[in-house]
Amino acid sequence: MVTYEKDFSLKREEPEQAELADVFCAIEKEVEEGVSGYYTLPEDSMAIVRELEAYAERESEFLKTLETIAVMGIGGSSLGTKAIHAALASKYPESKNMLFLENPDPVSLLAHFDRINRDKTLFIVVSKSGSTIETTSIFKAVIKYFDLDFQGRDIRQIMVVTDEGSPLDRFAAFYSIQRFHIPANVGGRFSVLSSVGIVPLMLAGYDVKTLLGGAGHFAKRFFEGKEEHLLRKAYFLTHYREHYPVTVLFSYGDCLEHFSKWFVQLWGESLGKIDEKGSHTGLTPVGHIGSVDQHSFLQLIIEGMRDKTVTFIKIEHFDHDLPIPDISLKYIEKTDYVNTHTFNELIDIECDATRESLMAKNIPVDRIVLDTMSEANIGELIMYYEILTSACGIMMQIDTYDQPGVELGKKILVKKFQSK
């Protein structure tokens, strides 16, 4: 279960109910017109699940030999999958190892290659456009390093996830490589619940049906009008964005580190735009992990510029618990007050204390509480943030789903290589 504690202060101006209703209707219109297909992925992706079940039955002997799922992708093609894997890995000790080949850093790539058992790895190439330069370059390096043969048995060890008809899709079809498609109206940063995430996660052994169920359950409640707090939060963040342009996500649990990185891409690439009036606008995302980062960033929040809102994510019950030994160490006895308590208690109370310290300084905060880290909860959290992003985009009068700033950099990159 996920609980949303609505602490954001709306002292300055409450939104009119009609304003919230307009945004709600605009989101409904996006669904009806297919502006973005992520809203219906919890249901639509069940077709991918069935396709994977059929594939697993056909290739059962091959899949039994696998130890590693190596995902080649970057940004929206990997961040969400990596976030779910990190969040749930402790629950799946028997799952296949997942390796993410993302950044074209030669040192880290070679280190990853050295860890891969060639004959026990499934290489999945993920690129919506089918021509992402980092991903295709890494794929070429994998082909060369592991001497993959497109005519022999190695073909079973390659899989492709891309848009139908993309260059990568045509490549896969030519060599009879197993491929899965991404819906055309689902952008990369909104695609984790599509084949982008479902394919590698399910093949690794994760319960993707429950993951999709959690996302679908939240979407259903939202469209039934039962999650108005999301619209009120979007209103606060956008209405006061000149006062609070920085959105901080403080997640208390190492398993959410990659979720924070996924949030940063989703928020930054979706909301950093030029609006209908031609003005540069946006909300700057910052992702942190408690309690580690409160020892470096908390000072800035409390005594620095008052330009930040903070959302805390708290996990009430971790899968494993560990007691703090009842040991008193000479000269540092003042820390004995936590003896016999658990690390679960320590990190949760640190979250509460940090939140209360910000509230005491009148810094806008809210909190999301997960009773435990589960497939349903992480699925819900993903859908919550995706819909929140769309609601903010509507209120800011921008196109939430394009990324012209990113495309400009790609064009310059091509020119630089062509001029060499």
Side-chain angles (χ1 to χ4, degrees), residues 16 21 60 71 94 114 136 231 275 319 334 371 374 392 417:
E16 296 289 339
S60 59
V71 178
E94 302 302 317
D114 287 343
T136 56
L231 296 177
D275 64 20
D319 288 337
K334 68 178 182 180
D371 61 343
S374 67
C392 287
F417 271 93

Side-chain angles (χ1 to χ4, degrees), residues 27 30 35-39 185 187-190 269-270 273 386-387 389-391 394 398-404:
I27 293 175
E30 285 193 351
V35 173
S36 180
Y38 81 82
Y39 296 104
N185 64 344
R189 57 189 176 275
F190 288 88
E269 202 166 77
S270 298
K273 300 289 171 65
E386 289 181 338
I387 297 178
T389 302
S390 293
I394 290 167
I398 59 173
D399 185 339
T400 310
Y401 308 108
D402 69 354
Q403 52 277 334

Side-chain angles (χ1 to χ4, degrees), residues 19-38:
E19 291 181 87
L20 300 183
D22 286 345
V23 177
F24 183 80
C25 289
I27 293 175
E28 286 188 312
K29 188 177 179 181
E30 285 193 351
V31 178
E32 292 167 5
E33 296 182 353
V35 173
S36 180
Y38 81 82

